[in-house]
């Protein structure tokens, strides 16, 4: 639970109060634990913000008279969190300033720097909609072997650098998730290399260094608005990757080691 006096730096050391379930007589959806937290913080419950991942937790927070932001533990069930004041895809999308709290200061040019993560493998054929429907050809990776990555990384739009073993290193923007407009049955990884290639490169080794986050995945009322948003993502990524904060990763050993030496 966050309250207006909650400092915006650090993690465990920043919590003024930590309460366990064994310190109250009734668990969620009872609001008791939230009332007790507010009491120890000496703050009125209506001035507190609860961040919860479960429906019983959301119910408890609202019963305490607090505002509640839900981060569903199962994204496909976000429609069930109707009593929350806001439902977000992940904590990457939390905007404290909406709730009278200090804003996060690490957003840069519409992007959020993240701890880099790396994936790679041969380029495979995708759904065929990238180039044919959207006019945006993606260099798809198989999800086989990436179950841990897919479960740990929130869905959304990311960006970074891509290395093709026989061609070089390119800027890249990437979606990871279910692509609500197309309603994927499974979570996918769909990178878009920001370069015009003359031919296909199926089977070629592709390595990705993902260094920043742009936005959560979203549904769109039309194909045109989806395409417009994808091109906006491209502009944001291309600009951000010129910043030293991100451009340094172009030289990442993971990418460099994949290039064929001639």
């Amino acid at each position: 639970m966050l309250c207006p006096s909650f400092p915006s730096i650090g993690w465990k050391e920043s919590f003024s109060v930590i309460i366990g379930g064994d310190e109250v007589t009734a668990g969620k959806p009872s609001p008791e634990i939230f009332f007790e937290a507010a009491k120890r913080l000496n703050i009125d419950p209506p001035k507190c913000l609860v961040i919860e991942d479960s429906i019983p937790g959301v119910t408890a927070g609202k019963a305490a008279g607090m505002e509640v932001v839900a981060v569903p533990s199962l994204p496909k069930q976000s429609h069930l969190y109707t009593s929350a004041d806001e439902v977000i895809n992940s904590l990457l999308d939390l905007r404290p300033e909406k709730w009278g709290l200090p804003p996060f200061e690490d957003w840069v040019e519409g992007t959020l720097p993240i701890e880099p993560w790396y994936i790679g493998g041969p380029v495979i054929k995708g759904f065929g909609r990238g180039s044919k429907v959207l006019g945006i050809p993606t260099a798809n990776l198989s999800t086989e072997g990436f179950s841990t990555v897919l479960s740990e990384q929130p869905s959304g739009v990311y960006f970074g650098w891509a290395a093709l073993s026989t061609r070089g290193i390119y800027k890249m923007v990437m979606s990871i998730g279910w692509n609500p407009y197309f309603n994927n049955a499974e979570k996918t990884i769909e990178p878009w290399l920001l370069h015009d290639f003359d031919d296909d490169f199926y089977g070629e080794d592709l390595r990705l260094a993902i260094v920043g986050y742009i936005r959560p995945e979203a549904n769109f009322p039309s194909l045109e608005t989806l395409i417009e948003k994808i091109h906006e993502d491209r502009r944001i990524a291309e600009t951000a990757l010129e910043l030293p904060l991100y451009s340094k990763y172009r030289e990442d050993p993971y990418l460099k080691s994949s290039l064929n030496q001639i």
Side-chain angles (χ1 to χ4, degrees), residues 117-120 143 145-155 158 174 176 187 189 210:
W117 49 283
Y118 306 90
I119 54 176
T143 58
F146 295 119
S147 58
T148 300
V149 169
L150 285 170
S151 64
E152 291 180 350
Q153 299 298 334
S155 58
Y158 297 80
M174 177 187 79
I176 178 171
K187 202 172 184 182
I189 304 168
I210 298 93

Side-chain angles (χ1 to χ4, degrees), residues 41 72 90 96 159 161 189 261-262:
L41 287 166
S90 75
F159 65 95
W161 296 97
I189 304 168
Q261 302 300 316
I262 300 176

Side-chain angles (χ1 to χ4, degrees), residues 158-235:
Y158 297 80
F159 65 95
W161 296 97
L164 281 169
S165 57
T166 65
R167 299 172 187 250
I169 297 176
Y170 306 93
K171 293 178 178 179
M172 174 274 302
V173 65
M174 177 187 79
S175 71
I176 178 171
W178 292 271
N179 291 301
Y181 184 84
F182 294 104
N183 195 26
N184 286 0
E186 63 180 50
K187 202 172 184 182
T188 59
I189 304 168
E190 298 183 48
W192 178 22
L193 276 57
L194 306 183
H195 180 81
D196 293 326
F197 296 94
D198 294 328
D199 55 348
D200 293 329
F201 40 84
Y202 295 123
E204 187 163 335
D205 184 63
L206 173 66
R207 293 192 182 186
L208 306 176
I210 298 93
V211 301
Y213 177 79
I214 297 176
R215 63 172 177 86
E217 67 173 353
N219 206 344
F220 294 89
S222 69
L223 185 63
E224 290 73 23
T225 54
L226 169 59
I227 293 173
E228 181 180 350
K229 191 65 174 178
I230 292 173
H231 282 286
E232 179 183 322
D233 295 334
R234 173 179 186 157
R235 291 191 293 271

Side-chain angles (χ1 to χ4, degrees), residues 4-96:
S5 62
F6 183 88
S8 59
I9 58 173
W11 285 95
K12 182 177 179 180
E13 296 76 13
S14 294
F15 286 87
S16 302
V17 171
I18 298 177
I19 302 175
D22 58 347
E23 298 180 66
V24 294
T25 57
K28 303 169 187 176
S30 165
E32 183 182 354
I33 195 167
F34 292 124
F35 280 135
E36 182 61 25
K39 178 181 178 182
R40 295 188 192 184
L41 287 166
N42 195 29
I43 295 176
D44 292 335
K47 294 182 179 179
C48 296
L49 174 66
V50 171
I51 300 173
E52 264 291 345
D53 68 343
S54 71
I55 293 174
V58 170
T59 302
K62 294 306 298 179
M66 301 175 178
E67 292 179 303
V68 179
V69 173
V71 190
S73 53
L74 296 174
K76 284 278 191 176
Q77 295 185 1
S78 60
H79 62 286
L80 299 177
Y81 291 70
T82 53
S83 61
D85 296 286
E86 183 182 25
V87 180
I88 58 177
N89 180 58
S90 75
L91 289 176
L92 294 175
D93 304 314
L94 178 64
R95 298 292 186 270

